[in-house]
Amino acid sequence: MATKKELKDLTQLIAILEQNVRGDIKALKTDLSKLTSEIKGIKKVADKAARTAEANETKIKELTSVCDARRLASLKRSSSGRCRSAALPLSLGDEGPAGISDMLAAGGFLKSPPRKTVRFGGTLIDILLKYQKGDKTDFDLLKDQLLDPGIKDDQIIHWLHEFRSSVAVMTKEFEQLVSILLKVSWLQRSKAVEEEYLAFLSNLVSAQTIYLRPCLVMIVSHFIPPRITVQENDVDISESDNDDENVTRSFNTCHRALQTVARYVPLTPQFLMPVLTEKFPFINKSERTL
């Protein structure tokens, strides 16, 4: 059995241990209280930072909207100023001085201002501004006019003038409109339409390289002559319209278009070869077509 002395020593040891444990628990409570306070402070700072970030994001959106509006307004003023300036000579013949053909030879697409033209309604900048604000009425009317198979040469030239002045804002947001422009029937029209369309292509690929491949696809597709289908004895006879005297002219114009695009976008050959491979006219006819 333990002696009285040993019991006394054991009791004293337990008391010391209890005192130490109480002190440790008190210290832990103090540390936990400090940690909780620090967490609350960090949470307040994080909430404040989140509110600040949200406010900054709102300001950035507002400033972006203002900048876009000012940029479009600046383009509108620039376009109006060009329209008030003296018109370029319209001579396209060999004898005409400083005609469009001369500008093409000098590589002056980007430097040549649009010529004067009769306006049909609002300007393109007005239409784009309304579209970005949610008003698509004039935008839809513009698309319908560009898709109209009976569109006149003067109308095409007018809109090409407008687009040449606005390529800087023709971002991916207006991809549908650019796609329609690339479908416009511009070959085998007047010389003025063809020259103006080449000028438009040069401005477009220079300002917005995202449209390089669509432009190349459009140009290459015109190297395939249109086909004529005649039905004889319930059999469709299809042949290329190679006898058309305008085919050679169209080929030459398309070659000039490729040269023009390559002049302003040096990487054109890297994009052109896959397009040529994709558009190569392999024979693919139905059993009822000769």
Side-chain angles (χ1 to χ4, degrees), residues 25-262:
I25 291 175
K26 184 178 181 180
L28 288 173
K29 288 182 177 180
T30 302
D31 293 340
L32 181 61
S33 178
K34 291 181 179 179
L35 183 60
T36 302
S37 178
E38 290 177 358
I39 291 174
K40 289 181 179 179
I42 293 173
K43 185 178 179 181
K44 289 181 179 179
V45 173
D47 291 342
K48 183 178 180 180
R51 289 192 298 270
T52 303
E54 184 177 357
N56 289 338
E57 184 178 359
T58 302
K59 290 181 179 179
I60 290 173
K61 289 181 179 179
E62 292 176 352
L63 289 174
T64 301
S65 177
V66 171
C67 289
D68 288 343
R70 288 180 177 177
R71 181 174 59 178
L72 288 173
S74 176
L75 285 171
K76 180 179 178 182
R77 289 193 298 269
S78 177
S79 176
S80 299
R82 279 192 289 267
C83 290
R84 288 192 297 267
S85 64
L88 291 176
L90 303 183
S91 174
L92 296 175
D94 295 334
E95 300 177 357
I100 294 180
S101 297
D102 296 331
M103 288 193 299
L104 294 175
F109 280 149
L110 296 179
K111 298 179 182 179
S112 60
R115 296 169 292 166
K116 283 185 177 180
T117 181
V118 179
R119 294 197 173 277
F120 312 106
T123 65
L124 178 64
I125 294 298
D126 292 332
I127 294 174
L128 298 182
L129 280 170
K130 290 179 181 179
Y131 176 81
Q132 289 189 327
K133 293 178 180 178
D135 185 355
K136 300 182 180 180
T137 303
D138 291 342
F139 188 80
D140 292 336
L141 290 175
L142 171 59
K143 292 192 299 181
D144 291 340
Q145 187 177 79
L146 292 174
L147 290 172
D148 183 4
I151 186 172
K152 304 298 182 181
D153 286 7
D154 288 343
Q155 291 175 307
I156 295 178
I157 292 174
H158 161 71
W159 287 120
L160 289 176
H161 288 166
E162 297 281 353
F163 281 108
R164 283 180 60 194
S165 304
S166 308
V167 290
V169 297
M170 299 299 294
T171 58
K172 195 172 180 61
E173 179 182 3
F174 300 102
E175 184 178 9
Q176 181 186 16
L177 185 58
V178 174
S179 177
I180 292 174
L181 278 169
L182 296 180
K183 295 177 183 178
V184 169
S185 176
W186 62 281
L187 285 172
Q188 300 184 11
R189 284 184 176 267
S190 67
K191 188 71 172 177
V193 171
E194 293 182 353
E195 301 289 2
E196 192 63 37
Y197 198 89
L198 291 178
F200 160 71
L201 285 180
S202 69
N203 283 27
L204 179 64
V205 297
S206 298
Q208 305 291 346
T209 55
I210 58 173
Y211 298 121
L212 174 60
R213 190 179 188 281
C215 287
L216 293 176
V217 170
M218 180 274 296
I219 296 171
V220 171
S221 66
H222 285 299
F223 280 105
I224 304 175
R227 303 189 68 85
I228 299 177
T229 302
V230 179
Q231 192 174 62
E232 292 185 4
N233 299 326
D234 200 30
V235 176
D236 294 335
I237 301 176
S238 178
E239 60 179 10
S240 296
D241 193 12
N242 292 323
D243 295 333
D244 190 343
E245 60 182 8
N246 291 322
V247 169
T248 301
R249 173 188 166 189
S250 296
F251 284 175
N252 292 336
T253 304
C254 288
H255 277 292
R256 290 178 57 213
L258 289 177
Q259 292 169 355
T260 299
V261 172

